[in-house]
Amino acid sequence: MSLQEDLLARADVLPRRTLAVVAPEDPEVMMAVLEATQRGWIRPHLFGNPERIQAAAQEARAALPEDAVVHASNSPQEAARAAVLFVHSGQAHLLMKGLIPTATLLREVLDEQIGLRGGELLSHVAVFPWESRGRFLLLTDAAMNVAPGLAEKAQIILNAVQLAHALGIEKPKVAALAALETVNPKMPATLDAAALAKMGDRGQLGDAVVDGPLALDNALSPQAAETKGIRSPVAGQADILLAPDLEAGNILYKGLTCVAGLEPAAILLGARAPVVLTSRSDSHRSKLVSLALGLLLLARGSWPQESPGRTGTK
Ligand code: COD
């Protein structure tokens, strides 16, 4: 069984949840949502333009569940606002991004009145199934935090560690990435990485092993680490890659998908509910596995706030 299939099978036995989808006006989103519905994972509520949603369902050759569509025709922002409010008010357990720019959705998620802030920093984690190594590779943050400082990077690591634990990685190895493995005062990413490594040593970053700075090859390739003589419990074996900023993270994400052909799942952590946040160009499989991640996280019950009225059983 592939790593992705294993995740899907794990979601098959979890309680059914209510999902709010923002602008699912795209066949790839629709296929993922409808497959998740058929597998018994979710009750979907689809926020957006009804005609375009119907057209996407037809293109995906799938029938929409009755009463699933919630009218929000004017703009993707209107759909985002309505869907976020739906989750905020406890009517859905998780949120999913459809055909809408990431920043437009995130602004609604961050809204102080109706948003999903949970008191922590929100951050994005991508999960790549690395089949040839038989394990998952997590990358953060490729989509939300533009230029995180040291404190933000620490919280970004804590969020990713939470997801790694949900995936069954007991003590994830975290590589704080930079362009090289030595500290260079002219390269701020190396300074942050060294400080994070020390925070990790002192137990400030949860149940994880953190090291840095590490260049990408040193983080992932045991041979590269050996050739360079790097003695580190993380080198060559990283489970989580912390990017120094969003540009680097996003380029690495797209490199892994477009060049290496890996199919990511992706999710936002730190909010009051899991937010499934894949790239608009990701496949329906990628979106389905991302939904499975959201369900796994909910099943661990580690969310900052759960509304009392929610029902979590099939
Ligand atoms: N977690 C918690 N609170 C946050 C976070 C966060 N990660 N980011 C901002 N906030 C809070 C701030 O403290 C503030 O109170 C409020 O939200 C607004 O913050 P600003 O002023 O930074 O808000 P914006 O609207 O200028 O920016 C927020 C975005 C998420 C839109 C911005 O960070 C962004 O554009 N991120 C990148 C999104 C993107 O384009 N990704 C592309 C790759 S897919």
Side-chain angles (χ1 to χ4, degrees):
M1 191 186 279
S2 73
L3 291 163
Q4 281 188 335
E5 279 161 6
D6 181 56
L7 264 186
L8 300 184
R10 284 167 69 184
D12 280 339
V13 296
L14 295 177
R16 182 184 292 158
R17 305 289 186 164
T18 304
L19 171 73
V21 194
V22 181
E25 298 153 9
D26 165 77
E28 297 293 321
V29 178
M30 196 56 81
M31 278 163 74
V33 169
L34 294 175
E35 183 171 342
T37 308
Q38 280 159 9
R39 294 178 86 122
W41 295 359
I42 52 155
R43 288 174 290 268
H45 292 259
L46 312 173
F47 292 78
N49 179 297
E51 288 83 43
R52 287 205 290 270
I53 291 175
Q54 199 57 257
Q58 271 167 11
E59 212 176 311
R61 295 175 203 284
L64 285 179
E66 259 180 54
D67 301 331
V69 179
V70 183
H71 206 290
S73 308
N74 293 325
S75 65
Q77 197 229 348
E78 183 196 344
R81 199 162 180 80
V84 166
L85 182 57
F86 199 70
V87 179
H88 174 96
S89 60
Q91 296 176 80
H93 301 95
L94 67 171
L95 182 73
M96 179 175 181
K97 174 188 167 217
L99 206 58
I100 177 172
T102 299
T104 309
L105 176 61
L106 291 181
R107 285 201 184 92
E108 299 306 324
V109 168
L110 287 174
D111 186 283
E112 282 193 55
Q113 259 79 50
I114 62 118
L116 302 176
R117 289 198 213 183
E120 302 288 359
L121 186 86
L122 277 63
S123 60
H124 179 266
V125 188
V127 178
F128 293 89
W130 198 358
E131 295 292 349
S132 59
R133 294 260 187 112
R135 65 185 179 85
F136 290 107
L137 179 65
L138 280 61
L139 168 65
T140 187
D141 177 331
M144 178 145 203
N145 293 283
V146 177
L150 181 61
E152 288 79 24
K153 286 178 182 175
Q155 188 59 47
I156 288 171
I157 289 178
L158 285 166
N159 286 349
V161 167
Q162 185 193 342
L163 180 57
H165 289 161
L167 285 167
I169 308 171
E170 275 177 28
K171 203 170 179 71
K173 299 184 174 71
V174 184
L177 293 179
L180 74 175
E181 68 280 4
T182 48
V183 174
N184 179 341
K186 291 184 182 162
M187 298 168 88
T190 67
L191 300 173
D192 280 356
L196 289 165
K198 186 49 71 183
M199 289 172 79
D201 288 347
R202 295 286 185 266
Q204 290 175 270
L205 298 177
D207 201 5
V209 185
V210 182
D211 200 13
L214 286 169
L216 184 63
D217 56 344
N218 310 329
L220 297 180
S221 157
Q223 288 85 349
E226 200 184 317
T227 306
K228 293 184 184 170
I230 300 168
R231 282 198 306 277
S232 153
V234 174
Q237 308 176 55
D239 300 299
I240 299 175
L241 301 175
L242 172 78
D245 60 23
L246 185 141
E247 313 284 3
N250 197 273
I251 292 167
L252 182 51
Y253 179 105
K254 302 278 162 66
L256 289 170
T257 53
C258 298
V259 183
L262 298 186
E263 218 171 22
I267 197 143
L268 209 66
L269 284 104
R272 285 167 53 152
V275 179
V276 175
L277 198 84
T278 49
S279 173
R280 278 168 285 173
S281 56
D282 288 336
S283 68
H284 88 273
R285 175 87 169 183
S286 183
K287 295 173 198 302
L288 184 68
V289 179
S290 305
L291 262 174
L293 278 186
L295 297 171
L296 270 183
L297 282 164
L298 279 170
R300 282 178 66 86
S302 49
W303 292 92
Q305 291 166 37
E306 273 276 316
S307 298
R310 291 177 175 176
T311 53
T313 48
K314 279 190 185 178

